């Protein structure tokens, strides 16, 4: 496994297309979930430099903070609370254009303006969520959803 990422400039689609096989390479041959979550955060931070990129894992019916890149964050989130807890309860990806308009949004950082949360589904059970926050309003769209869901699929293979 090469430990150096090749960071491509270009459209969002081109950036994901360049990054996806590299993430696949990082995950290949490593079975430890935490190691893989940590490297996915690192790779996405290097490529996109979003404010916060991280995982929460379901433990005793709560989301508990896992590997991340970015400022310190809240450590525990209940089901149905905030964007993360709602994505968990609904078992679906949530794209939030403006976090201030999301009822119950948990503001870990006042710099965060938009957010995407992808549930980690294993055998139809949510085992965690992948949360990304941006300093820009409306920074996430269907392209992000498509590729980030692919990345989550690779993690859970
Ligand atoms: N904003 C999230 C909480 C997690 S932090 O953004 C890292 C939410 O509302 O679920």
């Amino acid at each position: 496994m090469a430990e150096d990422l090749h960071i491509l400039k270009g459209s969002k689609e081109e950036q994901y297309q360049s990054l996806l096989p590299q993430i696949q390479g990082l995950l290949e041959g490593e079975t430890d979930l935490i190691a893989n979550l940590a490297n996915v955060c690192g790779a996405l931070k290097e490529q996109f430099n979003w404010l916060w990129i991280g995982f929460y894992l379901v433990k005793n019916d709560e989301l508990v903070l896992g590997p991340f890149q970015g400022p310190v964050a809240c450590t525990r989130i209940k089901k149905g609370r905030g964007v993360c807890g709602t994505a968990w309860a609904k078992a679906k990806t949530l794209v939030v254009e403006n976090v201030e308009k999301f009822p119950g949004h948990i503001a870990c950082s006042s710099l965060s303006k938009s957010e995407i949360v992808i549930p980690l589904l294993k055998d139809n059970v949510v085992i965690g969520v992948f949360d990304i926050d941006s300093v820009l309003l409306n920074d996430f769209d269907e392209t992000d959803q498509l590729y980030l869901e692919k990345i989550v699929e690779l993690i859970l293979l």
Side-chain angles (χ1 to χ4, degrees):
M1 181 197 86
E3 269 99 9
D4 281 336
L5 280 187
H6 171 64
I7 301 300
L8 181 113
K9 305 259 185 260
S11 71
K12 189 185 264 188
E13 178 101 31
E14 287 166 340
Q15 292 185 64
Y16 277 116
Q17 280 187 1
S18 150
L19 194 63
L20 203 65
Q22 298 188 73
I23 287 185
Q24 196 162 12
L26 283 171
L27 299 176
E28 243 160 33
E30 178 51 69
T31 56
D32 187 90
L33 178 65
I34 299 297
N36 286 336
L37 300 182
N39 257 345
V40 165
C41 293
L44 286 165
K45 185 74 178 169
E46 270 196 70
Q47 179 70 54
F48 293 103
N49 198 26
W50 288 305
L51 174 68
W52 198 90
I53 302 166
F55 292 89
Y56 284 89
L57 296 173
V58 175
K59 292 181 187 170
N60 297 325
D61 215 34
E62 266 186 327
L63 288 171
V64 181
L65 184 62
F68 71 95
Q69 294 260 331
V72 293
C74 53
T75 54
R76 288 169 191 270
I77 299 174
K78 300 245 184 259
K79 199 175 200 171
R81 293 280 321 280
V83 187
C84 291
T86 306
W88 174 20
K90 293 189 170 168
K92 63 181 268 249
T93 297
L94 294 182
V95 178
V96 181
E97 294 176 12
N98 179 351
V99 293
E100 282 175 23
K101 293 195 175 149
F102 188 93
H105 167 253
I106 302 163
C108 289
S109 165
S110 58
L111 295 173
S112 171
K113 300 286 181 249
S114 61
E115 180 163 356
I116 184 168
V117 180
I118 300 105
L120 271 55
L121 273 158
K122 190 132 198 147
D123 303 325
N124 286 323
V125 175
V126 178
I127 61 157
V129 299
F130 187 24
D131 179 19
I132 304 180
D133 294 73
S134 171
V135 295
L136 302 176
L137 276 172
N138 202 7
D139 204 14
F140 303 106
D141 57 21
E142 317 79 57
T143 304
D144 299 285
Q145 177 167 353
L146 179 78
Y147 284 99
L148 294 169
E149 285 178 352
K150 279 185 203 284
I151 290 169
V152 164
E153 270 174 41
L154 290 175
I155 293 169
L156 297 175
L157 273 181

